Amino acid sequence: MSIARPKSALSSPNRVVPVLGLLALVLVWVLDLGAILPNRIVPGTGHGLLSAVGWVGATLVTGALIGCLLLSVLPLRSRYLTLLILVSVSLALLPLLLDVFAARHLPENSPYARSSIGSGFWCLLFLLSLMLIEIFGRLGSGRGFQLIVLAGICGSWVWLFQGAGLESLSLVREFNAQPDKFEQALWTHLALALGAVTISAGLAFVLALQMIRSVAWRRPVLGVVSFLQTIPSLAVFGLLIAPLSALTEAFPVLQTLGIRGIGWAPAMLALVAYSLLPMVRNTYVALTEVPESLADAGRGMGMNERQLFFKLKLPLALPVIVEGVRITTIQAIGLTAVAALIGAGGFGSFIFQGLGQAAMDLVLLGALPTIALALLADALLTTLAVSLRPKSATV
Amino acid sequence: MIELKNVTRRFGQAVAVDSINLTIETGEVCVLVGSSGCGKSTTLRMINRLLPHSAGEILVDGEDITTMNPEKLRLNMGYVIQGTGLFPHWTVARNIAMVPALLKWPQARIDERVHELLTLLDLDPAIHAGKFPQQLSGGQAQRVGVARALAANPNILLMDEPFGALDAITRENLQQELLRIQQQVRKTTVFVTHDIDEALKLATRIAVMDQGRIIQHDTPENILRRPASEFVENLVGKQDRGLKLMSLRRVGDLMQRYPQPVNPEPGVEGVQEDDSLRLALSVMLWQENGELPVFNGEGAKTGVITRERILQAGA
């Protein structure tokens, strides 16, 4: 019996992958794969799949997608393993399309000309990623295996983007124009987001413990942190400028520490304020939801309150607390981008510069790493939370 | 020995336990029985100071428990509760090792003790030691709960409706198991239940409680024969008393014993020496038989029991 079930699961056709594959096939032929721009601002001329990468490229792309379609409907034994290999190799080699496109179409002797990524390419990337997620789910593979595959794909992208062929890509041009600023933005972004998460985690832990210890703290603390969450983020950034300026004027010592009405100080304050609600709520709920019968048993066996906290309550609450940290981290990474408006730096500065100069690729240079950071934080913290959870009821 | 002297517990205005006196001798099983809200669990929880008593005195081996460190007091009292209270993030072995670990036993001694207890409670250490509580059946989990309570060899065992959430068959098995273990380890046990049959089966003495007071404190036989009030009479089941008394007595006490145990003929059904007279009578009625062979623990036939003897002896 135990052999029959996975076998039948493998041989029954998949419905999600062919739909995604068909959609990708249509979109990649209908939409532009890329565009050639004479310079940074002027809109360029789009190129469809065939025109962009020629017959060979178009055949390969079409072949890969049709391959996915066939693999998912034909009666096969190791369907998902084959699909996984096909889809992840396609994803890993995707930048090659841009490489070929640039080589074929970029006019020589025009230093300002650049190639740009078209909607067809984005759709292909997005739909292939969805297929990968579906295949992971069907394979029931562990997180470690998934991370290895993803790391392989990312590694291939990094390697391909370092090659000479993609130098003309507008995104790469924008990066190459200011690599130092990019690195600085990365560190500022990380420092702001992770700093705020760390501070609010510490603060939330203390507040949650205080709320558990005394009932009088419960409502006011939850009320204040909920209220902080309801103020629009831009308003908080704006509101903090005046009081912080006044404060630094009154105490010039603060100015030497780099605290001013704009810059990292108000950004950090606002980020901490925003992070408090999910953090306090999760920590408080996690610690109070430990069943009273367990605490009763522990106490009855002779544990003191300290031992109960460290041996029972904290270990059981930790997965939920980490979940709070995960939500907060993703939220803080996103909000840090907005904090660039008050001069805090980070990837947000590229986004707002790009918007100001109508240079969409500069916007992407800020937006894409922000998304990547959020996804990375999500993956890492989910893995951590899963590893902390007590073993499931499988025999 | 545990002594309760004029012990009272109030929750605000309400009196949960009303000036009770109770002495539990060393090595006996005292079962507190009564309907819910009668104060039996409260009484139990005052003995290990999970609840402080409002008035009166509780002495354990002559020492007033309020003068003792509560954690130290509890480390010497095994505690078993209804929902097992096993820590879900700890393996069975680590759960059992809880108190020895708190007492900082060396690891080798802890491992040895866990192995010993799992075997005592009829759980295979090789299979069960590494499991998590969620992977156990209800009966197995409660066995682990009992093992955990016995781990550091406490003098006293407190059990708060430990088998209340189990199905009838599992409960029966665990009751037998507890009787067997109690014969080996002889712990001073306070056992709380609302099930009078469980009380009659396990107790050396029963304390019947109602509205915070002890109505009667006596042996199971006396509770059945001479109920102190109508309440007790109704609790034990007025009409059912004859059979209940029969279930207190062993076949071994009333059988006609052979001078030498003999090997039984194969395929013959009979009863064990440790079975109750009630069971023997039931088997006779079912088989329409006036006489049953009696076997000992090793399966040898040691004598017979007849219907006449049982009916003559009466209730």
Side-chain angles (χ1 to χ4, degrees):
Chain A
M1 286 307 282
S2 59
I3 303 164
R5 265 189 58 203
K7 196 182 165 191
S8 67
L10 279 177
S11 57
S12 74
N14 183 295
R15 294 206 184 88
V16 180
V17 174
V19 170
L20 293 173
L22 204 61
L23 199 60
L25 204 54
V26 171
L27 290 175
V28 84
W29 276 97
V30 170
L31 298 172
D32 284 348
L33 190 78
I36 296 293
L37 291 71
N39 61 43
R40 191 178 175 199
I41 316 283
V42 178
T45 43
H47 291 266
L49 181 66
L50 194 56
S51 143
V53 290
W55 276 109
V56 182
T59 313
L60 276 174
V61 171
T62 314
L65 288 173
I66 291 178
C68 289
L69 270 169
L70 290 179
L71 279 172
S72 49
V73 290
L74 287 178
L76 288 172
R77 274 219 65 181
S78 47
R79 172 198 314 286
Y80 290 103
L81 206 62
T82 332
L83 265 176
L84 177 70
I85 294 167
L86 181 60
V87 170
S88 49
V89 167
S90 305
L91 268 172
L93 299 180
L94 217 49
L96 278 180
L97 287 180
L98 300 172
D99 207 337
V100 174
F101 171 56
R104 282 171 55 98
H105 289 280
L106 208 65
E108 278 172 51
N109 304 325
S110 53
Y112 296 112
R114 50 188 66 201
S115 62
S116 143
I117 303 170
S119 45
F121 183 88
W122 290 123
C123 288
L124 196 57
L125 174 62
F126 179 65
L127 290 166
L128 280 174
S129 305
L130 284 183
M131 280 192 217
L132 192 65
I133 291 169
E134 163 72 9
I135 293 164
F136 276 147
R138 293 289 169 152
L139 274 174
S141 50
R143 273 200 100 75
F145 176 71
Q146 299 179 4
L147 283 178
I148 289 171
V149 173
L150 287 178
I153 293 170
C154 291
S156 159
W157 276 63
V158 169
W159 186 71
L160 287 171
F161 267 85
Q162 274 171 352
L166 289 168
E167 251 180 14
S168 67
L169 202 64
S170 52
L171 205 58
V172 180
R173 285 265 168 99
E174 295 290 356
F175 173 76
N176 284 342
Q178 37 193 359
D180 298 342
K181 275 184 85 176
F182 185 86
E183 200 185 324
Q184 199 195 347
L186 172 68
W187 293 124
T188 313
H189 206 102
L190 279 177
L192 275 175
L194 298 186
V197 169
T198 313
I199 292 172
S200 72
L203 210 57
F205 197 69
V206 174
L207 283 174
L209 285 188
Q210 195 53 247
M211 280 159 72
I212 290 167
R213 210 170 294 157
S214 104
V215 190
W217 282 67
R218 239 162 261 179
R219 287 176 65 91
V221 169
L222 277 179
V224 168
V225 296
S226 307
F227 170 71
L228 287 174
Q229 189 84 2
T230 59
I231 315 172
S233 54
L234 270 176
V236 176
F237 289 133
L239 280 174
L240 280 170
I241 295 176
L244 271 180
S245 302
L247 204 65
T248 47
E249 250 164 61
F251 303 98
V253 185
L254 293 175
Q255 265 173 11
T256 58
L257 290 172
I259 296 174
R260 282 177 298 135
I262 57 168
W264 66 267
M268 185 65 103
L269 270 178
L271 287 172
V272 169
Y274 268 99
S275 304
L276 275 177
L277 178 66
M279 214 74 116
V280 168
R281 201 176 39 199
N282 271 45
T283 310
Y284 174 70
V285 168
L287 286 173
T288 46
E289 296 246 303
V290 173
E292 194 43 44
S293 67
L294 292 182
D296 187 63
R299 212 172 280 131
M301 302 301 295
M303 283 189 164
N304 58 33
E305 292 305 313
R306 215 182 110 86
Q307 288 162 333
L308 268 181
F309 184 80
F310 284 107
K311 295 191 173 188
L312 175 70
K313 292 182 183 170
L314 195 58
L316 285 184
L318 217 47
V320 184
I321 296 177
V322 171
E323 179 66 18
V325 173
R326 185 182 72 89
I327 296 169
T328 314
T329 310
I330 294 168
Q331 182 187 289
I333 288 173
L335 266 179
T336 305
V338 183
L341 273 182
I342 51 165
F347 288 129
S349 49
F350 292 134
I351 298 179
F352 292 114
Q353 265 177 38
L355 286 173
Q357 300 168 5
M360 282 324 285
D361 288 300
L362 191 53
V363 175
L364 281 182
L365 189 67
L368 290 179
T370 310
I371 296 169
L373 274 185
L375 288 177
L376 186 69
D378 179 47
L380 289 178
L381 287 166
T382 310
T383 311
L384 183 64
V386 168
S387 71
L388 287 171
R389 206 161 292 153
K391 302 288 177 295
S392 69
T394 47
V395 179
Chain B
M1 189 164 74
I2 306 168
E3 294 159 276
L4 283 75
K5 295 182 178 168
N6 298 315
V7 173
T8 298
R9 167 74 199 182
R10 292 182 208 94
F11 291 103
Q13 288 294 310
V15 180
V17 171
D18 191 359
S19 187
I20 61 169
N21 287 289
L22 184 65
T23 302
I24 300 147
E25 301 290 345
T26 305
E28 82 163 333
V29 178
C30 174
V31 177
L32 303 178
V33 66
S35 43
S36 43
C38 70
K40 53 191 195 301
S41 276
T42 307
T43 307
L44 186 88
R45 291 165 67 85
M46 284 192 292
I47 295 174
N48 66 2
R49 288 187 64 184
L50 282 177
L51 287 174
H53 45 281
S54 312
E57 248 189 328
I58 300 177
L59 308 177
V60 170
D61 293 328
E63 206 176 334
D64 187 342
I65 61 166
T66 51
T67 64
M68 298 156 88
N69 174 307
E71 277 90 37
K72 236 176 174 172
L73 174 80
R74 291 173 198 147
L75 286 171
N76 196 23
M77 292 183 171
Y79 185 46
V80 188
I81 60 175
Q82 180 168 358
T84 73
L86 296 177
F87 286 10
H89 58 304
W90 284 5
T91 59
V92 164
R94 197 166 171 206
N95 265 294
I96 295 176
M98 182 195 278
V99 180
L102 289 175
L103 293 169
K104 299 202 166 57
W105 286 14
Q107 192 57 44
R109 190 173 160 209
I110 293 181
D111 293 342
E112 193 186 328
R113 181 66 179 152
V114 167
H115 193 277
E116 188 184 342
L117 280 164
L118 281 170
T119 316
L120 177 72
L121 280 140
D122 213 17
L123 292 166
D124 186 348
I127 297 173
H128 293 102
K131 281 191 178 176
F132 284 88
Q134 310 90 296
Q135 297 170 306
L136 303 174
S137 69
Q140 288 170 337
Q142 197 50 279
R143 278 166 201 265
V144 175
V146 175
R148 178 177 67 174
L150 291 170
N153 216 354
N155 294 327
I156 292 168
L157 207 52
L158 304 179
M159 309 181 89
D160 194 351
E161 303 210 27
F163 310 142
L166 302 174
D167 64 85
I169 296 169
T170 312
R171 183 161 56 221
E172 186 104 343
N173 282 339
L174 272 167
Q175 288 166 353
Q176 290 294 355
E177 206 85 332
L178 192 67
L179 282 173
R180 180 176 64 81
I181 292 168
Q182 177 63 11
Q183 270 181 358
Q184 289 180 37
V185 297
R186 293 265 167 227
K187 301 288 178 203
T188 308
T189 306
V190 186
F191 190 108
V192 164
T193 181
H194 60 260
D195 177 358
I196 185 68
D197 289 312
E198 187 167 67
L200 290 169
K201 188 166 185 180
L202 298 176
T204 42
R205 279 197 293 174
I206 296 175
V208 180
M209 290 189 73
D210 186 35
Q211 295 178 356
R213 293 169 175 276
I214 292 180
I215 309 293
Q216 189 173 8
H217 181 214
D218 217 329
T219 60
E221 176 143 5
N222 282 340
I223 295 265
L224 283 169
R225 284 191 196 284
R226 289 182 284 280
S229 71
E230 204 171 330
F231 178 82
V232 182
E233 210 168 356
N234 286 330
L235 184 74
V236 298
K238 225 173 184 174
Q239 314 258 303
D240 204 19
R241 262 184 281 175
L243 287 176
K244 277 188 175 145
L245 270 167
M246 242 179 213
S247 62
L248 292 181
R249 298 167 67 180
R250 294 183 334 124
V251 168
D253 300 334
L254 214 62
M255 63 189 274
Q256 287 151 330
R257 213 174 268 277
Y258 295 155
Q260 285 286 322
V262 296
N263 281 334
E265 311 91 80
V268 175
E269 277 195 59
V271 288
Q272 298 273 323
E273 282 184 25
D274 279 340
D275 285 336
S276 69
L277 288 181
R278 177 179 175 157
L279 184 104
L281 188 63
S282 169
V283 174
M284 283 175 193
L285 288 172
W286 182 249
Q287 295 188 350
E288 296 179 15
N289 212 339
E291 187 180 296
L292 280 179
V294 180
F295 305 115
N296 66 8
E298 283 93 53
K301 186 174 169 187
T302 52
V304 292
I305 183 138
T306 62
R307 197 190 307 194
E308 282 73 39
R309 279 294 287 268
I310 296 176
L311 294 180
Q312 258 170 26

